[in-house]
Amino acid sequence: DAGITQSPRHKVTETGTPVTLRCHQTENHRYMYWYRQDPGHGLRLIHYSYGVKDTDKGEVSDGYSVSRSKTEDFLLTLESATSSQTSVYFCAIRSGQPNEKLFFGSGTQLSVL
Amino acid sequence: SQQGEEDPQALSIQEGENATMNCSYKTSINNLQWYRQNSGRGLVHLILIRSNEREKHSGRLRVTLDTSKKSSSLLITASRAADTASYFCATDGIQGAQKLVFGQGTRLTINP
């Protein structure tokens, strides 16, 4: 899948615990994204990065933080997980213009009990 | 929000028929993209159409864009069972492609 790996693939955690999801790419692409997918809402952008240490918020960023200390890794952290954050999380990468299409990872199924 | 909205939410047709899905959006865009998602998998890019284009083809796919109506359609001709998937449109804003926004998707089922 275009050299993009998400880990873990599945995680079950308890409310109030911190959770970190990892996205790793081997394509050296500039842009990296975190989306969540929920029934009835499609994909919603959480955060994205346009370079090392350069990140910005998406439409559903509350309760999430991100970090990108290396080109290849983009971490999504739920500081204190809530049941509303139960979702499937997708990472995506993009090289930049003129190639504007996204390449997606396989997703992480997160359940917060 | 500039979120795209697909119509219909679900579509079921017989193999060999054509499938048409529509997408509407709210604000001006640079381009519109269509993606496919098979069950339990990540999204896969299908086709991109720029705001100055009206129609684009890729194999059995035909995409149209009407910026005056802020709408796009995806036509899949001669459908196959393997086309069963969810289809999403995604738009960016005039500020750039950094924030690609997806619609809720159309669930397409091709019956053999």
Side-chain angles (χ1 to χ4, degrees):
Chain A
D1 288 325
I4 178 170
T5 305
Q6 292 184 231
S7 59
R9 290 295 313 277
H10 302 273
K11 185 170 182 66
V12 179
T13 191
E14 294 184 349
T15 299
T17 60
V19 177
T20 295
L21 308 182
R22 180 181 183 235
C23 179
H24 178 78
Q25 60 147 330
T26 58
E27 306 295 323
N28 201 36
H29 283 357
R30 177 182 178 187
Y31 296 94
M32 299 186 76
Y33 303 79
W34 278 108
Y35 288 88
R36 60 177 290 175
Q37 184 175 33
D38 305 285
H41 291 279
L43 274 82
R44 292 180 290 175
L45 180 64
I46 305 171
H47 283 279
Y48 68 97
S49 170
Y50 46 97
V52 174
K53 292 185 170 43
D54 292 323
T55 64
D56 201 355
K57 297 179 179 179
E59 60 181 311
V60 290
S61 60
D62 288 347
Y64 301 94
S65 62
V66 290
S67 66
R68 191 169 178 200
S69 58
K70 299 183 292 185
T71 298
E72 57 266 35
D73 290 324
F74 192 33
L75 304 181
L76 176 70
T77 297
L78 291 65
E79 300 291 346
S80 178
T82 67
S83 58
S84 65
Q85 293 176 313
T86 292
S87 186
V88 180
Y89 291 86
F90 286 99
C91 177
I93 61 176
R94 181 172 71 86
S95 62
Q97 291 186 348
N99 184 352
E100 297 175 23
K101 65 181 180 181
L102 300 182
F103 296 94
F104 281 82
S106 298
T108 294
Q109 173 68 62
L110 176 67
S111 297
V112 183
L113 305 179
Chain B
S1 168
Q2 63 188 45
Q3 184 179 29
E5 297 181 0
E6 285 92 342
D7 171 61
Q9 291 188 357
L11 179 62
S12 180
I13 61 174
Q14 296 299 121
E15 193 167 19
E17 295 180 339
N18 295 341
T20 300
M21 289 157 274
N22 302 296
C23 170
S24 60
Y25 57 91
K26 298 178 181 178
T27 63
S28 296
I29 61 171
N30 277 331
N31 65 61
L32 185 144
Q33 303 181 39
W34 285 91
Y35 288 78
R36 183 188 73 228
Q37 183 182 33
N38 291 94
S39 182
R41 306 291 298 273
L43 280 71
V44 175
H45 181 267
L46 293 176
I47 196 165
L48 179 153
I49 186 166
R50 301 198 181 278
S51 59
N52 61 354
E53 297 175 311
R54 292 296 168 259
E55 188 170 312
K56 204 162 183 179
H57 296 256
S58 176
R60 294 184 296 112
L61 306 180
R62 173 179 170 249
V63 169
T64 62
L65 179 64
D66 187 335
T67 54
S68 67
K69 296 181 178 179
K70 292 186 170 59
S71 67
S72 173
S73 67
L74 170 66
L75 169 67
I76 303 174
T77 60
S79 63
R80 306 167 181 169
D83 294 328
T84 293
S86 293
Y87 292 81
F88 296 86
C89 68
T91 58
D92 69 346
I94 57 175
Q95 77 276 14
Q98 287 86 344
K99 293 186 179 183
L100 199 62
V101 179
F102 286 80
Q104 298 181 22
T106 293
R107 176 65 189 172
L108 175 64
T109 302
I110 308 300
N111 302 303

